[in-house]
Amino acid sequence: MSTKPKLPVPLCQTTGRRKRAVARVRIRTGQGTITVNRKPIEQYFTSATHRMIVTEPLRLTNLAEGYNVDATIDGGGVSGQAGAMRLGIARSLLELDPELRPALKKAGLLT
């Protein structure tokens, strides 16, 4: 019998797609940790540019410290995966607070 750590129930779960990449994103309240395929973001996206792309919606809305993000990514290349995860995070934030829509849309994060 395995004893996996129990994660809190996600506040919302969304999907982001770009090119051939598909990212399933779950957001929970927390301290701002981001994991991708069970690895810290620094290990999965070794390029600072890709990490910046992924965290853009959180920085734009000043919510980087308030939520933990857990993502599962399949397919595509690294850039497509970063874009898919960015869209998934933006959609999750929109689901949590619909008033963020104008800022996210103006920045082009919902397409």
XYZ file of all heavy atoms in Angstrom:
842
model
N 0.844 -1.178 0.000
C 0.000 0.000 0.000
C 0.892 1.244 0.000
O 1.698 1.433 0.887
C -0.900 -0.046 1.237
C -1.895 1.067 1.307
S -2.967 0.860 2.731
C -4.515 0.795 1.900
N 0.775 2.049 -1.021
C 1.603 3.249 -1.115
C 0.982 4.383 -0.295
O -0.224 4.483 -0.150
C 1.755 3.682 -2.568
O 0.529 4.138 -3.055
N 1.857 5.219 0.213
C 1.400 6.365 1.007
C 1.776 7.642 0.273
O 2.733 8.311 0.627
C 2.025 6.351 2.415
O 3.448 6.314 2.248
C 1.563 5.149 3.217
N 1.039 7.939 -0.790
C 1.249 9.185 -1.516
C 0.748 10.342 -0.659
O -0.258 10.205 0.032
C 0.464 9.186 -2.822
C 1.103 8.439 -3.935
C 0.296 8.695 -5.189
C 0.811 7.896 -6.343
N -0.019 8.078 -7.531
N 1.441 11.483 -0.713
C 0.921 12.631 0.024
C -0.400 13.092 -0.578
O -0.537 13.195 -1.788
C 2.003 13.696 -0.143
C 2.804 13.273 -1.321
C 2.668 11.776 -1.426
N -1.370 13.335 0.282
C -2.686 13.783 -0.183
C -2.616 15.262 -0.525
O -2.240 16.085 0.301
C -3.740 13.557 0.896
C -4.117 12.107 1.094
C -4.861 11.589 -0.087
C -6.298 11.384 0.273
N -7.069 10.879 -0.836
N -2.958 15.590 -1.762
C -2.991 16.987 -2.183
C -4.376 17.547 -1.909
O -5.372 16.833 -2.010
C -2.687 17.096 -3.677
C -1.271 16.736 -4.106
C -1.177 16.685 -5.619
C -0.286 17.722 -3.561
N -4.453 18.834 -1.581
C -5.772 19.429 -1.411
C -6.535 19.398 -2.741
O -5.934 19.397 -3.807
C -5.482 20.858 -0.970
C -4.046 21.085 -1.171
C -3.380 19.760 -1.343
N -7.829 19.389 -2.653
C -8.675 19.361 -3.841
C -8.426 20.636 -4.647
O -8.379 21.730 -4.086
C -10.162 19.267 -3.434
C -11.067 19.346 -4.652
C -10.403 17.988 -2.664
N -8.225 20.508 -5.966
C -7.966 21.717 -6.759
C -9.167 22.652 -6.787
O -10.308 22.207 -6.782
C -7.665 21.177 -8.161
C -8.093 19.769 -8.174
C -8.176 19.296 -6.757
N -8.879 23.946 -6.815
C -9.938 24.946 -6.942
C -10.549 24.867 -8.328
O -11.754 25.020 -8.488
C -9.370 26.348 -6.719
C -8.877 26.676 -5.327
C -8.215 28.039 -5.310
C -10.010 26.635 -4.341
N -9.703 24.642 -9.331
C -10.216 24.462 -10.684
C -9.194 23.700 -11.511
O -8.011 23.660 -11.191
C -10.561 25.795 -11.334
S -9.168 26.845 -11.625
N -9.679 23.104 -12.569
C -8.838 22.326 -13.467
C -9.206 22.708 -14.892
O -10.374 22.667 -15.270
C -9.084 20.839 -13.237
C -8.223 19.945 -14.081
C -8.308 18.498 -13.656
O -8.655 18.203 -12.517
N -7.990 17.598 -14.550
N -8.200 23.118 -15.680
C -8.450 23.550 -17.052
C -7.437 22.907 -17.994
O -6.462 22.321 -17.556
C -8.352 25.082 -17.181
O -7.073 25.498 -16.718
C -9.439 25.779 -16.407
N -7.688 23.071 -19.274
C -6.802 22.528 -20.299
C -6.347 23.652 -21.208
O -7.131 24.524 -21.575
C -7.545 21.469 -21.141
O -8.023 20.451 -20.270
C -6.621 20.848 -22.172
N -5.072 23.616 -21.556
C -4.532 24.564 -22.530
C -3.887 23.782 -23.654
O -3.250 22.764 -23.424
N -4.059 24.255 -24.886
C -3.464 23.577 -26.036
C -2.715 24.582 -26.892
O -3.177 25.703 -27.088
C -4.547 22.931 -26.904
C -5.218 21.772 -26.257
C -6.246 21.153 -27.205
N -7.089 20.221 -26.486
C -8.180 20.549 -25.818
N -8.563 21.805 -25.771
N -8.880 19.635 -25.190
N -1.583 24.162 -27.431
C -0.851 24.963 -28.410
C -0.062 24.003 -29.280
O 0.633 23.136 -28.760
C 0.096 25.941 -27.730
C 0.841 26.782 -28.744
C 1.546 27.949 -28.108
N 2.068 28.824 -29.133
C 3.232 28.621 -29.750
N 3.979 27.587 -29.446
N 3.644 29.458 -30.678
N -0.192 24.184 -30.579
C 0.412 23.272 -31.546
C 0.006 21.845 -31.195
O -1.169 21.521 -31.202
C 1.932 23.455 -31.597
C 2.373 24.807 -32.117
C 3.875 24.852 -32.210
C 4.333 26.168 -32.809
N 5.780 26.212 -32.923
N 0.962 20.982 -30.875
C 0.621 19.596 -30.543
C 0.629 19.347 -29.036
O 0.388 18.224 -28.596
C 1.641 18.665 -31.192
C 1.515 18.689 -32.708
C 1.191 17.384 -33.067
N 0.338 17.139 -34.164
C 0.442 15.996 -34.830
N 1.373 15.142 -34.536
N -0.413 15.754 -35.788
N 0.951 20.350 -28.247
C 1.069 20.191 -26.796
C -0.279 20.382 -26.107
O -1.073 21.238 -26.491
C 2.071 21.196 -26.245
N -0.521 19.556 -25.087
C -1.737 19.654 -24.278
C -1.313 19.712 -22.814
O -0.568 18.845 -22.336
C -2.660 18.439 -24.505
C -3.890 18.543 -23.621
C -3.053 18.331 -25.958
N -1.781 20.736 -22.103
C -1.450 20.897 -20.683
C -2.731 20.858 -19.862
O -3.659 21.606 -20.135
C -0.726 22.223 -20.458
N -2.761 19.963 -18.885
C -3.860 19.926 -17.922
C -3.359 20.610 -16.655
O -2.404 20.148 -16.036
C -4.281 18.480 -17.651
C -5.063 17.890 -18.810
C -5.424 16.439 -18.593
N -4.294 15.534 -18.733
C -3.735 15.192 -19.896
N -4.190 15.692 -21.024
N -2.714 14.357 -19.940
N -4.009 21.714 -16.305
C -3.537 22.576 -15.221
C -4.525 22.529 -14.063
O -5.728 22.686 -14.258
C -3.377 24.035 -15.720
C -2.964 24.951 -14.587
C -2.375 24.095 -16.860
N -3.994 22.310 -12.856
C -4.793 22.347 -11.632
C -4.228 23.438 -10.733
O -3.024 23.506 -10.543
C -4.727 20.998 -10.920
C -5.504 19.916 -11.642
C -5.148 18.527 -11.148
N -3.803 18.109 -11.515
C -3.407 17.760 -12.742
N -4.240 17.810 -13.752
N -2.172 17.383 -12.974
N -5.122 24.266 -10.196
C -4.700 25.361 -9.311
C -5.277 25.127 -7.930
O -6.463 24.812 -7.787
C -5.146 26.729 -9.874
C -4.293 27.059 -11.096
C -5.035 27.808 -8.832
C -4.405 28.469 -11.567
N -4.406 25.267 -6.911
C -4.802 25.134 -5.509
C -4.286 26.357 -4.756
O -3.319 26.972 -5.175
C -4.169 23.886 -4.885
C -4.579 22.594 -5.535
C -3.761 21.435 -4.953
N -4.236 20.155 -5.428
C -3.872 19.583 -6.563
N -3.007 20.181 -7.346
N -4.357 18.419 -6.918
N -4.916 26.685 -3.645
C -4.373 27.769 -2.821
C -3.046 27.289 -2.242
O -2.880 26.113 -1.925
C -5.339 28.142 -1.680
O -5.698 26.965 -0.980
C -6.576 28.833 -2.213
N -2.093 28.199 -2.137
C -0.777 27.809 -1.623
C 0.202 28.959 -1.625
O -0.182 30.123 -1.589
N 1.489 28.602 -1.720
C 2.568 29.582 -1.591
C 3.177 29.995 -2.920
O 4.107 30.778 -2.952
C 3.706 29.027 -0.722
C 3.301 28.479 0.623
C 2.697 27.075 0.518
O 3.048 26.294 -0.356
N 1.772 26.773 1.406
N 2.708 29.440 -4.037
C 3.242 29.841 -5.333
C 4.166 28.821 -5.978
O 4.907 29.170 -6.886
N 4.151 27.569 -5.534
C 4.997 26.560 -6.158
C 4.345 26.068 -7.451
O 3.129 25.948 -7.540
C 5.238 25.351 -5.231
O 3.973 24.774 -4.904
C 5.952 25.768 -3.957
N 5.181 25.813 -8.442
C 4.700 25.335 -9.740
C 5.407 24.024 -10.052
O 6.641 23.968 -10.041
C 4.985 26.366 -10.850
C 4.289 27.682 -10.532
C 4.521 25.835 -12.194
C 4.615 28.802 -11.501
N 4.627 22.971 -10.299
C 5.210 21.688 -10.685
C 4.662 21.283 -12.049
O 3.494 21.503 -12.354
C 4.903 20.583 -9.658
O 3.491 20.471 -9.492
C 5.540 20.876 -8.311
N 5.535 20.683 -12.845
C 5.175 20.229 -14.187
C 5.582 18.760 -14.284
O 6.755 18.432 -14.104
C 5.916 21.049 -15.270
C 5.463 20.629 -16.649
C 5.717 22.525 -15.055
N 4.616 17.901 -14.548
C 4.869 16.459 -14.609
C 5.649 15.982 -13.377
O 6.641 15.271 -13.477
C 5.607 16.082 -15.895
C 4.737 16.231 -17.113
O 3.533 16.458 -17.010
N 5.328 16.118 -18.283
N 5.220 16.434 -12.212
C 5.788 16.088 -10.902
C 7.229 16.547 -10.676
O 7.921 16.036 -9.817
C 5.688 14.582 -10.649
C 4.261 14.110 -10.554
C 4.193 12.697 -10.112
N 2.795 12.300 -9.992
C 2.409 11.065 -9.839
N 3.278 10.099 -9.768
N 1.140 10.784 -9.733
N 7.676 17.521 -11.460
C 9.000 18.104 -11.274
C 8.838 19.597 -11.017
O 7.913 20.212 -11.530
C 9.851 17.944 -12.546
C 10.228 16.533 -12.886
C 11.069 16.538 -14.149
C 11.380 15.127 -14.592
N 12.105 15.127 -15.872
N 9.754 20.197 -10.259
C 9.705 21.661 -10.108
C 9.883 22.323 -11.478
O 10.555 21.773 -12.357
C 10.895 21.971 -9.199
C 11.256 20.686 -8.556
C 10.809 19.593 -9.468
N 9.292 23.493 -11.646
C 9.329 24.179 -12.941
C 10.763 24.422 -13.412
O 11.057 24.364 -14.597
C 8.510 25.493 -12.910
C 8.368 26.060 -14.318
C 9.085 26.481 -11.928
C 7.406 27.194 -14.446
N 11.689 24.650 -12.481
C 13.080 24.914 -12.850
C 13.725 23.689 -13.489
O 14.624 23.820 -14.315
C 13.909 25.347 -11.631
C 13.509 26.686 -11.061
C 12.292 26.604 -10.142
O 11.918 25.486 -9.709
O 11.699 27.659 -9.874
N 13.299 22.499 -13.076
C 13.849 21.273 -13.656
C 13.207 20.960 -15.000
O 13.872 20.470 -15.906
C 13.604 20.078 -12.725
C 14.671 19.863 -11.707
C 14.416 18.577 -10.930
O 13.326 18.014 -10.953
N 15.430 18.119 -10.226
N 11.919 21.216 -15.148
C 11.229 20.858 -16.385
C 11.524 21.863 -17.492
O 11.872 21.493 -18.602
C 9.721 20.742 -16.151
C 9.020 20.063 -17.299
C 8.944 18.675 -17.352
C 8.467 20.790 -18.342
C 8.331 18.036 -18.420
C 7.855 20.161 -19.412
C 7.781 18.782 -19.446
O 7.185 18.150 -20.506
N 11.337 23.149 -17.193
C 11.644 24.202 -18.166
C 12.976 24.824 -17.749
O 13.019 25.728 -16.919
C 10.546 25.276 -18.195
C 9.241 24.808 -18.780
C 8.115 24.692 -17.987
C 9.141 24.482 -20.118
C 6.905 24.273 -18.526
C 7.941 24.057 -20.664
C 6.831 23.940 -19.874
N 14.070 24.333 -18.339
C 15.398 24.809 -17.930
C 15.690 26.212 -18.446
O 16.514 26.916 -17.880
C 16.486 23.840 -18.424
O 16.351 23.666 -19.835
C 16.349 22.491 -17.734
N 15.006 26.648 -19.497
C 15.213 27.977 -20.048
C 14.412 29.012 -19.255
O 13.219 28.831 -18.993
C 14.769 27.998 -21.512
O 14.590 29.312 -21.956
N 15.062 30.112 -18.907
C 14.376 31.185 -18.180
C 13.257 31.792 -19.026
O 12.231 32.213 -18.498
C 15.375 32.271 -17.779
N 13.429 31.806 -20.343
C 12.405 32.341 -21.238
C 11.128 31.522 -21.149
O 10.031 32.083 -21.066
C 12.923 32.346 -22.690
O 14.152 33.055 -22.738
C 11.913 32.987 -23.623
N 11.246 30.205 -21.156
C 10.071 29.352 -21.064
C 9.383 29.500 -19.709
O 8.151 29.530 -19.627
C 10.430 27.886 -21.330
C 10.804 27.638 -22.759
N 11.950 26.970 -23.117
C 10.196 27.993 -23.917
C 12.030 26.915 -24.437
N 10.978 27.540 -24.945
N 10.167 29.631 -18.648
C 9.573 29.837 -17.310
C 8.840 31.175 -17.262
O 7.776 31.287 -16.658
C 10.651 29.779 -16.229
C 11.168 28.380 -15.973
C 11.974 28.299 -14.692
N 13.128 29.179 -14.684
C 14.346 28.836 -15.104
N 14.560 27.637 -15.588
N 15.344 29.693 -15.038
N 9.387 32.184 -17.923
C 8.738 33.496 -17.962
C 7.412 33.412 -18.727
O 6.413 33.989 -18.307
C 9.669 34.507 -18.626
C 9.215 35.936 -18.504
S 10.371 37.073 -19.263
C 9.995 36.828 -20.980
N 7.384 32.666 -19.832
C 6.155 32.485 -20.612
C 5.091 31.818 -19.756
O 3.935 32.243 -19.728
C 6.445 31.652 -21.882
C 7.256 32.480 -22.878
C 5.151 31.156 -22.520
C 7.810 31.669 -24.037
N 5.477 30.761 -19.039
C 4.523 29.992 -18.225
C 3.930 30.843 -17.105
O 2.732 30.803 -16.847
C 5.207 28.729 -17.638
C 4.350 28.102 -16.564
C 5.497 27.728 -18.746
N 4.762 31.640 -16.440
C 4.295 32.396 -15.267
C 3.679 33.751 -15.617
O 3.223 34.466 -14.723
C 5.449 32.613 -14.272
O 6.517 33.306 -14.933
C 5.952 31.292 -13.724
N 3.640 34.104 -16.892
C 3.118 35.419 -17.301
C 1.719 35.733 -16.772
O 1.496 36.820 -16.247
C 3.162 35.546 -18.823
C 2.861 36.934 -19.314
C 3.010 37.086 -20.824
O 3.370 36.107 -21.491
O 2.744 38.181 -21.309
N 0.737 34.814 -16.873
C -0.598 35.155 -16.354
C -0.600 35.419 -14.843
O -1.312 36.295 -14.364
C -1.449 33.927 -16.670
C -0.695 33.145 -17.675
C 0.743 33.492 -17.510
N 0.229 34.686 -14.106
C 0.291 34.882 -12.646
C 0.927 36.223 -12.303
O 0.469 36.929 -11.399
C 1.076 33.738 -11.999
C 0.444 32.354 -12.111
C 1.434 31.279 -11.711
C -0.807 32.269 -11.268
N 1.989 36.597 -13.034
C 2.640 37.881 -12.778
C 1.754 39.050 -13.183
O 1.683 40.060 -12.482
C 3.980 37.953 -13.522
C 5.059 37.093 -12.881
C 6.411 37.211 -13.573
N 6.387 36.497 -14.857
C 6.471 37.085 -16.042
N 6.596 38.388 -16.147
N 6.434 36.378 -17.163
N 1.056 38.906 -14.300
C 0.184 39.972 -14.798
C -0.934 40.290 -13.808
O -1.301 41.449 -13.621
C -0.410 39.564 -16.150
C -1.327 40.578 -16.815
C -0.493 41.703 -17.414
C -2.150 39.914 -17.885
N -1.467 39.257 -13.152
C -2.584 39.443 -12.228
C -2.133 39.562 -10.766
O -2.957 39.612 -9.862
C -3.570 38.267 -12.348
O -2.868 37.047 -12.102
C -4.204 38.240 -13.712
N -0.815 39.568 -10.529
C -0.246 39.660 -9.172
C -0.727 38.537 -8.262
O -0.957 38.753 -7.075
C -0.549 41.026 -8.540
C 0.084 42.157 -9.308
O 1.222 42.060 -9.758
N -0.664 43.219 -9.494
N -0.891 37.333 -8.801
C -1.358 36.195 -8.010
C -0.304 35.094 -7.893
O -0.621 33.975 -7.504
C -2.635 35.613 -8.637
C -3.842 36.543 -8.642
C -4.974 35.945 -9.451
C -4.300 36.815 -7.223
N 0.946 35.402 -8.219
C 2.005 34.391 -8.233
C 2.221 33.745 -6.870
O 2.557 32.568 -6.776
C 3.307 35.000 -8.736
N 2.010 34.492 -5.794
C 2.260 33.958 -4.453
C 1.039 33.290 -3.833
O 1.141 32.638 -2.809
C 2.740 35.082 -3.520
C 3.967 35.813 -4.030
C 5.178 34.916 -4.160
O 5.406 34.088 -3.259
O 5.895 35.034 -5.167
N -0.133 33.452 -4.428
C -1.354 32.973 -3.801
C -1.781 31.562 -4.162
O -2.574 30.960 -3.449
N -1.268 31.026 -5.272
C -1.738 29.724 -5.744
C -0.580 28.795 -6.074
O 0.463 29.236 -6.542
C -2.589 29.888 -7.009
C -3.863 30.654 -6.789
C -4.024 31.936 -7.291
C -4.920 30.097 -6.085
C -5.191 32.645 -7.097
C -6.092 30.800 -5.881
C -6.222 32.070 -6.387
O -7.379 32.767 -6.188
N -0.794 27.509 -5.836
C 0.120 26.475 -6.313
C -0.441 25.947 -7.626
O -1.643 25.720 -7.747
C 0.232 25.323 -5.307
C 0.996 25.721 -4.064
O 1.640 26.762 -4.029
N 0.922 24.897 -3.046
N 0.433 25.726 -8.598
C 0.022 25.239 -9.909
C 0.650 23.865 -10.125
O 1.848 23.685 -9.919
C 0.475 26.208 -11.035
C 0.078 25.671 -12.389
C -0.101 27.587 -10.810
N -0.178 22.911 -10.538
C 0.290 21.566 -10.846
C -0.178 21.249 -12.259
O -1.370 21.339 -12.549
C -0.301 20.576 -9.835
C 0.095 19.150 -10.133
O 1.230 18.938 -10.591
O -0.735 18.253 -9.907
N 0.754 20.907 -13.154
C 0.386 20.674 -14.551
C 0.917 19.335 -15.039
O 1.977 18.887 -14.621
C 0.926 21.786 -15.432
N 0.152 18.728 -15.931
C 0.570 17.530 -16.641
C 0.573 17.883 -18.115
O -0.441 18.315 -18.655
C -0.421 16.374 -16.379
O -0.576 16.222 -14.974
C 0.090 15.085 -16.982
N 1.733 17.717 -18.765
C 1.878 18.128 -20.156
C 2.237 16.928 -21.016
O 3.077 16.117 -20.639
C 2.961 19.217 -20.301
C 2.611 20.428 -19.449
C 3.123 19.627 -21.744
C 3.609 21.541 -19.520
N 1.574 16.838 -22.190
C 1.862 15.782 -23.164
C 2.071 16.399 -24.529
O 1.439 17.397 -24.870
C 0.668 14.811 -23.280
C 0.512 13.929 -22.062
O 1.538 13.497 -21.520
O -0.636 13.686 -21.669
N 2.927 15.789 -25.330
C 3.075 16.133 -26.735
C 3.779 17.439 -26.994
O 4.033 18.233 -26.096
N 4.129 17.641 -28.246
C 4.718 18.904 -28.672
C 6.149 19.101 -28.224
O 6.758 18.245 -27.591
N 6.675 20.252 -28.567
C 8.019 20.634 -28.157
C 7.966 21.526 -26.934
O 6.897 21.814 -26.399
N 9.117 21.977 -26.508
C 9.201 22.750 -25.262
C 8.445 24.078 -25.370
O 7.723 24.458 -24.454
C 10.679 23.000 -24.876
C 10.774 23.739 -23.564
C 11.415 21.689 -24.774
N 8.579 24.775 -26.493
C 7.878 26.056 -26.655
C 6.372 25.863 -26.686
O 5.621 26.636 -26.083
C 8.315 26.758 -27.937
O 9.598 27.292 -27.781
N 5.906 24.850 -27.391
C 4.481 24.552 -27.429
C 3.946 24.181 -26.064
O 2.840 24.583 -25.682
N 4.736 23.430 -25.298
C 4.326 23.047 -23.952
C 4.223 24.262 -23.044
O 3.284 24.387 -22.261
C 5.294 22.020 -23.375
C 5.196 20.676 -24.048
C 6.153 19.656 -23.467
O 7.059 19.982 -22.697
N 5.967 18.410 -23.843
N 5.186 25.176 -23.150
C 5.138 26.396 -22.337
C 3.910 27.229 -22.693
O 3.211 27.744 -21.813
C 6.415 27.214 -22.531
N 3.612 27.352 -23.980
C 2.435 28.110 -24.411
C 1.138 27.459 -23.972
O 0.190 28.138 -23.573
N 1.079 26.133 -24.033
C -0.118 25.411 -23.603
C -0.339 25.593 -22.104
O -1.469 25.804 -21.656
C 0.006 23.931 -23.944
N 0.741 25.539 -21.338
C 0.611 25.712 -19.890
C 0.206 27.142 -19.548
O -0.603 27.372 -18.651
C 1.917 25.347 -19.198
C 1.790 25.276 -17.704
S 3.221 24.506 -16.978
C 2.944 24.929 -15.273
N 0.724 28.121 -20.283
C 0.344 29.520 -20.064
C -1.149 29.709 -20.299
O -1.832 30.361 -19.502
C 1.155 30.433 -20.982
C 0.776 31.898 -20.853
C 1.635 32.780 -21.685
N 1.255 32.679 -23.091
C 1.746 33.461 -24.040
N 2.644 34.380 -23.756
N 1.343 33.317 -25.278
N -1.677 29.129 -21.379
C -3.107 29.233 -21.668
C -3.926 28.536 -20.584
O -4.958 29.055 -20.145
C -3.417 28.628 -23.040
C -4.885 28.617 -23.453
C -5.454 30.030 -23.480
C -5.051 27.957 -24.811
N -3.476 27.367 -20.128
C -4.188 26.647 -19.063
C -4.237 27.450 -17.770
O -5.279 27.517 -17.110
N -3.127 28.088 -17.412
C -3.094 28.911 -16.195
C -4.022 30.115 -16.349
O -4.783 30.452 -15.437
C -1.648 29.355 -15.872
C -0.814 28.142 -15.432
C -1.645 30.424 -14.789
C 0.661 28.440 -15.278
N -3.983 30.769 -17.516
C -4.843 31.934 -17.751
C -6.315 31.541 -17.655
O -7.125 32.250 -17.053
C -4.545 32.553 -19.111
N -6.685 30.404 -18.232
C -8.076 29.947 -18.156
C -8.475 29.626 -16.717
O -9.611 29.892 -16.312
C -8.269 28.710 -19.032
C -8.322 29.026 -20.504
C -8.490 27.764 -21.317
N -8.711 28.050 -22.719
C -8.742 27.123 -23.662
N -8.576 25.851 -23.351
N -8.937 27.461 -24.918
N -7.565 29.050 -15.940
C -7.867 28.747 -14.542
C -8.107 30.020 -13.740
O -9.038 30.101 -12.951
C -6.722 27.957 -13.902
O -6.658 26.660 -14.414
N -7.243 31.013 -13.943
C -7.409 32.287 -13.231
C -8.728 32.947 -13.613
O -9.408 33.525 -12.764
C -6.241 33.222 -13.536
C -4.872 32.778 -13.014
C -3.796 33.728 -13.488
C -4.876 32.673 -11.504
N -9.104 32.844 -14.874
C -10.365 33.409 -15.348
C -11.554 32.705 -14.696
O -12.540 33.341 -14.335
C -10.451 33.290 -16.864
C -11.599 33.984 -17.546
C -11.522 35.486 -17.302
C -11.574 33.692 -19.027
N -11.431 31.393 -14.518
C -12.497 30.624 -13.872
C -12.638 31.020 -12.399
O -13.743 31.091 -11.873
C -12.171 29.132 -13.983
C -13.372 28.235 -13.822
C -13.022 26.791 -14.164
O -12.737 26.509 -15.328
O -13.031 25.967 -13.227
N -11.500 31.313 -11.738
C -11.530 31.708 -10.330
C -12.061 33.125 -10.152
O -12.757 33.408 -9.186
C -10.132 31.610 -9.717
C -9.555 30.215 -9.584
C -8.116 30.284 -9.126
C -10.382 29.372 -8.634
N -11.704 34.031 -11.072
C -12.120 35.430 -10.963
C -12.421 36.000 -12.353
O -11.509 36.447 -13.047
C -11.014 36.252 -10.286
C -11.432 37.686 -10.032
O -12.598 38.044 -10.340
O -10.603 38.458 -9.522
N -13.690 35.993 -12.775
C -14.044 36.485 -14.110
C -13.678 37.951 -14.356
O -13.581 38.383 -15.495
C -15.560 36.298 -14.169
C -15.864 35.250 -13.155
C -14.833 35.414 -12.075
N -13.444 38.727 -13.293
C -13.088 40.134 -13.473
C -11.677 40.315 -14.021
O -11.298 41.425 -14.404
C -13.252 40.877 -12.153
C -14.707 40.994 -11.728
C -14.881 41.738 -10.422
O -13.925 42.394 -9.968
O -15.985 41.658 -9.862
N -10.877 39.236 -14.078
C -9.526 39.316 -14.635
C -9.529 39.269 -16.164
O -8.501 39.486 -16.790
C -8.667 38.158 -14.104
C -8.394 38.136 -12.613
C -7.660 36.865 -12.232
C -7.594 39.358 -12.198
N -10.691 38.998 -16.750
C -10.768 38.810 -18.199
C -10.200 39.971 -19.017
O -9.406 39.744 -19.932
C -12.200 38.504 -18.628
C -12.317 38.205 -20.115
C -13.723 37.763 -20.502
N -13.765 37.433 -21.897
C -13.413 36.255 -22.417
N -12.996 35.293 -21.609
N -13.463 36.038 -23.703
N -10.563 41.229 -18.730
C -10.021 42.316 -19.566
C -8.488 42.377 -19.570
O -7.885 42.547 -20.631
C -10.619 43.580 -18.938
C -11.843 43.117 -18.211
C -11.539 41.729 -17.757
N -7.867 42.188 -18.420
C -6.397 42.259 -18.345
C -5.753 41.089 -19.093
O -4.787 41.278 -19.845
C -5.951 42.249 -16.882
N -6.311 39.890 -18.917
C -5.756 38.713 -19.583
C -5.969 38.794 -21.097
O -5.092 38.447 -21.878
C -6.389 37.430 -19.030
C -6.051 37.079 -17.579
C -6.905 35.935 -17.074
C -4.570 36.732 -17.450
N -7.129 39.280 -21.505
C -7.430 39.383 -22.934
C -6.552 40.438 -23.609
O -6.027 40.219 -24.698
C -8.914 39.725 -23.132
C -9.353 39.713 -24.565
C -10.680 39.018 -24.683
C -11.177 39.023 -26.101
N -10.786 37.842 -26.820
N -6.355 41.570 -22.927
C -5.527 42.633 -23.484
C -4.086 42.162 -23.694
O -3.433 42.545 -24.657
C -5.544 43.853 -22.556
C -4.815 45.040 -23.120
C -4.944 46.238 -22.210
C -4.170 47.402 -22.795
N -4.134 48.547 -21.898
N -3.610 41.305 -22.802
C -2.248 40.780 -22.910
C -2.159 39.626 -23.905
O -1.079 39.103 -24.158
C -1.755 40.319 -21.536
N -3.294 39.189 -24.450
C -3.298 38.122 -25.443
C -3.095 36.741 -24.877
O -2.605 35.848 -25.564
N -3.490 36.522 -23.627
C -3.242 35.244 -22.961
C -4.404 34.271 -23.053
O -4.297 33.154 -22.564
C -2.903 35.496 -21.481
C -1.665 36.357 -21.235
C -1.460 36.567 -19.743
C -0.447 35.734 -21.860
N -5.507 34.669 -23.675
C -6.674 33.786 -23.739
C -6.866 33.178 -25.122
O -7.898 32.565 -25.374
C -7.931 34.552 -23.315
C -7.927 35.047 -21.875
C -9.178 35.861 -21.588
C -7.815 33.888 -20.911
N -5.888 33.306 -25.998
C -6.021 32.730 -27.341
C -4.884 31.769 -27.622
O -3.836 31.841 -27.021
C -6.012 33.830 -28.424
O -4.842 34.619 -28.257
C -7.249 34.688 -28.340
